[in-house]
Amino acid sequence: MIKPLIIAGLVAVSALPTFAQQKTKQKIIPKQNKVTPMFESKIDSASYAFGLSMARDLKKRGLKNLNGKLVAQAIEDYFSESPIRIKEEDEYKAISDVLTAAAEDLKKEQTAAGDSFLAQNKTKAGVHTTTSGLQYEIIRDAVGPKPLATDSVTVNYKGALLSGKVFDSSYDRGEPISFQLNRVIQGWQEGLQLMPVGSHYRFYIPYQLGYGERGAGNDIPPFSVLVFDVELLKIGG
């Protein structure tokens, strides 16, 4: 995942002197001033990283905003052994209430977008829908054996969100991947058993057949419909 860095730059402006007997146009001369490092120690770096990790996790879970000053104050109070400003039972309730509400809002937003996409997509020519809700289209057909759930397979693939953002690709890594079919997400288990060796399918996987209500890592949000291009290269080792 690309981690953005925000770099602040300062530009100083100076001018040549103007003399009474000879008029000289002002010239702006930029100076390269040193930028004060944000992190002066490993603790500084780790402190910021802890905050970033927490914020990323909370945002993924649907929380849209947080009072950063109070987060920092709570950490300071705890580490300095100052009086804690909330009772322990209220602490857990406050967190639970906010995260539950955020998760419900996130589910509504994500499932509404996903359901709308899948409803329209299944009406398109060439798109097939299975009884589980998996949608697929055949990009390149082939004649050959189809894998069983207990088989190992080798595939090339690209996975993307509905936004078009690619979160994983064996093509980008420059090599296919092998795995046992019954150890991957349900949408892949079902979809790959439809594919003859040598074929190329595109899967549209509802969140229930993908990574569910939790998502996966930092790149796949909860309740995400996934779009996978998959080429089945071979069955077995």
Side-chain angles (χ1 to χ4, degrees), residues 12-224:
V13 177
S14 62
L16 293 173
T18 302
F19 296 94
Q21 294 181 351
Q22 182 179 356
K23 293 183 179 180
T24 306
K25 291 183 179 180
Q26 280 191 328
K27 294 182 180 180
I28 299 175
I29 304 175
K31 292 183 179 179
Q32 298 296 324
N33 290 346
K34 290 184 178 180
V35 178
T36 304
M38 186 173 186
F39 308 129
E40 297 181 354
S41 68
K42 289 183 178 180
I43 288 295
D44 285 354
S45 300
S47 298
Y48 189 84
F50 277 125
L52 187 62
S53 178
M54 180 178 67
R56 185 183 292 116
D57 178 67
L58 291 173
K59 187 173 182 180
K60 177 187 169 185
R61 294 165 72 176
L63 201 62
K64 289 185 168 58
N65 56 66
L66 205 61
N67 189 325
K69 291 182 179 179
L70 287 178
V71 172
Q73 184 64 60
I75 294 172
E76 179 65 27
D77 287 349
Y78 188 83
F79 276 92
S80 65
E81 299 185 353
S82 298
I84 302 301
R85 309 177 191 211
I86 189 172
K87 294 179 180 179
E88 189 171 349
E89 58 268 27
D90 294 336
E91 171 190 341
Y92 295 129
K93 185 177 186 307
I95 291 172
S96 177
D97 288 350
V98 168
L99 287 182
T100 298
E104 289 174 354
D105 289 343
L106 179 63
K107 182 176 182 179
K108 289 178 183 176
E109 292 174 8
Q110 290 285 87
T111 55
D115 290 348
S116 175
F117 171 83
L118 292 170
Q120 295 178 26
N121 194 59
K122 71 179 181 180
T123 65
K124 294 181 179 178
V127 174
H128 309 273
T129 305
T130 69
T131 55
S132 71
L134 173 70
Q135 296 180 7
Y136 68 95
E137 58 181 312
I138 301 171
I139 307 302
R140 183 183 67 246
D141 207 353
V143 177
K146 298 178 182 179
L148 302 175
T150 52
D151 285 331
S152 293
V153 295
T154 301
V155 304
N156 263 322
Y157 71 96
K158 178 181 72 173
L161 304 176
L162 291 184
S163 65
K165 178 183 177 183
V166 175
F167 55 79
D168 195 10
S169 171
S170 67
Y171 299 104
D172 291 345
R173 291 192 297 272
E175 60 180 356
I177 185 172
S178 300
F179 53 87
Q180 192 166 319
L181 190 50
N182 59 11
R183 294 184 178 178
V184 294
I185 58 174
Q186 189 176 343
W188 269 47
Q189 291 186 42
E190 181 182 354
L192 275 160
Q193 290 183 75
L194 302 172
M195 298 180 65
V197 172
S199 62
H200 176 183
Y201 280 29
R202 181 169 296 143
F203 301 135
Y204 304 92
I205 302 178
Y207 79 88
Q208 299 93 331
L209 305 178
Y211 292 101
E213 299 183 0
R214 297 184 65 84
N218 296 320
D219 296 322
I220 302 177
F223 310 105
S224 291

